[in-house]
Amino acid sequence: MDQFLICCWAAIAGYLIGNIQFAVIFSHLIHHDDVRHHGSGNAGSTNMLRVYGIKAGILTFIGDFIKGAAAVLIGRAMGGQNAAYGAAIGVVIGHCWPVLFRFRGGKGVASSLGAAVLLNPLWGLLAAVSGIAVAVVTRMISPASLIGFTVYLIAALVAGSSPWEKIAVAILFAIVVYRHKENIVRLTQGQEAPVFKKNKV
């Protein structure tokens, strides 16, 4: 089968996997509610954390991370590394704009990170560590996500082994930035609310 066609099928498979919205599933199963009716309206781990607490946020993050990683593994099995790139893009698009949930998904951070770690473990680790450091300092998820994926993009552009790798990572970065456009506006205006409260001495 033509390599391009395999990559397209891998992207479609990734998109379908991305449609598994753990935030919606967990909010229904555990809280008999839909997280998209609260907070930012996003079906992601940050909104789950804000609405239902840290356990719900962590559980959702793990689920979304795993589906991003699983999509890359499936894509790689279908057609090697290029197909893995296609599956990575597909799963993040599916998470952000899931057809099965009326195109109302999350912002793609956890699923992107899961895909990123499987595409290149070292760069994924650098992105995760950078993001965690920013989250600890700022107590905000949005700048942590943006900085983390900026680090990943720079690594790919500087040390990427193929143009397809650089293109795929640039697309993932663009999706994450686009989904955070409102957060970016609030950050520039100093109005982004912290997710983690500062401990009182």
Side-chain angles (χ1 to χ4, degrees), residues 151-192:
V151 169
Y152 196 92
L153 176 65
I154 292 172
L157 294 178
V158 172
S161 60
S162 74
W164 296 114
E165 182 176 31
K166 297 178 182 181
I167 292 171
V169 173
I171 291 173
L172 293 177
F173 175 78
I175 293 172
V176 170
V177 170
Y178 176 77
R179 292 294 286 172
H180 284 80
K181 60 185 184 299
E182 295 176 356
N183 302 86
I184 293 172
V185 171
R186 289 195 294 269
L187 285 168
T188 58
Q189 297 174 344
Q191 297 177 352
E192 182 78 340

Side-chain angles (χ1 to χ4, degrees), residues 48-170:
M48 285 287 282
L49 188 154
R50 288 184 183 275
V51 175
Y52 301 117
I54 190 167
K55 290 183 180 179
I58 292 174
L59 189 63
T60 304
F61 183 91
I62 292 172
D64 289 340
F65 181 96
I66 290 174
K67 77 179 179 185
V72 170
L73 290 175
I74 291 171
R76 189 173 287 146
M78 291 175 67
Q81 193 66 6
N82 286 340
Y85 297 142
I89 294 169
V91 73
V92 176
I93 293 175
H95 175 78
C96 294
W97 298 284
V99 65
L100 298 181
F101 290 89
R102 299 181 181 180
F103 302 101
R104 294 180 60 199
K107 294 186 178 180
V109 174
S111 55
S112 291
L113 184 59
V117 168
L118 266 290
L119 289 176
N120 191 303
L122 176 59
W123 300 349
L125 179 61
L126 287 174
V129 171
S130 301
I132 291 171
V134 173
V136 169
V137 173
T138 66
R139 296 177 289 124
M140 299 182 207
I141 298 297
S142 55
S145 303
L146 294 167
I147 293 297
F149 279 98
T150 298
V151 169
Y152 196 92
L153 176 65
I154 292 172
L157 294 178
V158 172
S161 60
S162 74
W164 296 114
E165 182 176 31
K166 297 178 182 181
I167 292 171
V169 173

Side-chain angles (χ1 to χ4, degrees), residues 13-64:
Y15 179 82
L16 294 176
I17 294 171
N19 270 249
I20 304 171
Q21 296 291 306
F22 287 103
V24 178
I25 293 171
F26 291 151
S27 61
H28 274 289
L29 289 179
I30 300 173
H31 301 281
H32 307 290
D33 196 3
D34 189 335
V35 68
R36 294 172 300 172
H37 296 159
H38 308 282
S40 65
N42 288 303
S45 53
T46 300
N47 199 35
M48 285 287 282
L49 188 154
R50 288 184 183 275
V51 175
Y52 301 117
I54 190 167
K55 290 183 180 179
I58 292 174
L59 189 63
T60 304
F61 183 91
I62 292 172
D64 289 340

